[in-house]
Amino acid sequence: MQKVAHGDKQAFSALYDALAPLVFGIVVKVVRDRAQSEEVAQEVMIDLWRQAARYQPDAGSVQTWAATIAHRRAVDRVRSAQAAADREHAQATREHTTAFDEVAEQVETRLESEQVRRCLRGLTELQRQAVTLAYYRGLTYREVAEALRTPLPTIKTRMRDGLIRLRDCMGVTT
């Protein structure tokens, strides 16, 4: 370990060959996913290279030290994955709540649409034609007058009277 701590690549290669199976075995038992276990084991081996100077022989064997680092790193990975899953679940729950708001809006819109249809039925046929052409087909007053072959001032009067009746029927206050 002293040679590894001083950057000896051959010493690390020997250490890697000796400890990699132990490290991988511990990690795969905790993580259970082979691809993630390979990543975690690689990270542990890099940690052993970087932290070699921290190894204290009187605290335990190199295998015990490596096993402890491997276990901690594997547990961290599992906890991180669980936290990510929890965040995704919480986000999905929040989005699901938003869907209820969308349903409420759709119901409100549908009720308003039914009220508009009911109020439109309360208009005279001439008023209903003018309002429908203007608001549902997007025609201008002049285009409505041309479509109905009616003078423009007459269309304006029908529209004004029809809109006043709609406003009153809908309960809109000005």
Side-chain angles (χ1 to χ4, degrees), residues 78-133:
V78 170
R79 287 180 180 160
S80 175
Q82 184 60 49
D86 291 347
R87 282 190 303 275
E88 288 177 16
H89 178 71
Q91 179 65 28
T93 301
R94 283 191 297 273
E95 289 174 1
H96 186 67
T97 302
T98 302
F100 286 113
D101 293 341
E102 291 172 10
V103 170
E105 286 181 26
Q106 289 173 355
V107 168
E108 188 175 326
T109 300
R110 184 172 295 143
L111 291 174
E112 288 173 356
S113 296
E114 289 174 12
Q115 185 179 8
V116 168
R117 281 192 289 276
R118 184 177 46 79
C119 290
L120 278 172
R121 286 191 297 268
L123 300 179
T124 67
E125 181 62 30
L126 298 172
Q127 290 170 337
R128 186 172 38 255
Q129 284 177 335
V131 169
T132 301
L133 289 171

Side-chain angles (χ1 to χ4, degrees), residues 1-16 48-50 52-53:
M1 282 306 292
Q2 288 177 348
K3 288 181 180 180
V4 173
H6 291 331
D8 186 331
K9 292 180 183 177
Q10 287 182 337
F12 179 70
S13 179
L15 180 73
Y16 189 97
L48 292 176
W49 169 260
R50 291 180 179 159

